[in-house]
């Protein structure tokens, strides 16, 4: 079990069962837009920037539930 975020020098494939069409990176988190216009996030959850209603970090992309019925066209992650 991982307990701390780790920087990866070599990219790795993440299989979540969907294809992402857009990605945006923040200081400690990532946002992705899938082919159906749904928003996914992962990274450091401190201060709740991931949009999952808690402060837990996520090492793999997770669907942002509060937006799952919205069709989004852009994702922009900030600092």
């Amino acid at each position: 079990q991982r307990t701390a975020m780790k920087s990866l020098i070599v990219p790795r494939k993440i299989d979540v069962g969907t294809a992402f069409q857009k990605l945006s990176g923040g200081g400690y988190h990532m946002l992705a837009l899938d082919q159906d216009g749904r928003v996914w996030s992962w990274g450091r959850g401190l201060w709740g920037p991931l949009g999952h209603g808690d402060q837990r970090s996520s090492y793999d992309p997770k669907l942002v539930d509060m937006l799952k019925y919205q069709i989004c066209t852009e994702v922009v992650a900030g600092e």
Side-chain angles (χ1 to χ4, degrees):
Q1 179 178 4
R2 294 178 275 186
T3 58
M5 297 302 277
K6 178 181 175 184
S7 296
L8 298 175
I9 297 171
V10 178
R12 70 177 174 96
K13 183 176 181 177
I14 300 172
D15 186 14
V16 293
T18 189
F20 295 135
Q21 61 178 344
K22 294 184 180 182
L23 294 170
S24 180
Y28 298 95
H29 64 288
M30 293 289 296
L31 297 175
L33 190 66
D34 72 14
Q35 57 200 12
D36 296 321
R38 298 177 304 174
V39 177
W40 298 69
S41 68
W42 67 101
R44 190 170 178 190
L46 191 60
W47 302 298
L50 300 179
H52 302 295
D54 57 28
Q55 293 183 329
R56 285 185 258 170
S57 295
S58 175
Y59 299 99
D60 296 307
K62 183 177 173 185
L63 183 65
V64 178
D65 284 332
M66 64 189 309
L67 296 174
K68 68 182 174 183
Y69 298 114
Q70 305 298 318
I71 297 174
C72 299
T73 58
E74 293 289 335
V75 286
V76 178
E79 206 39 54

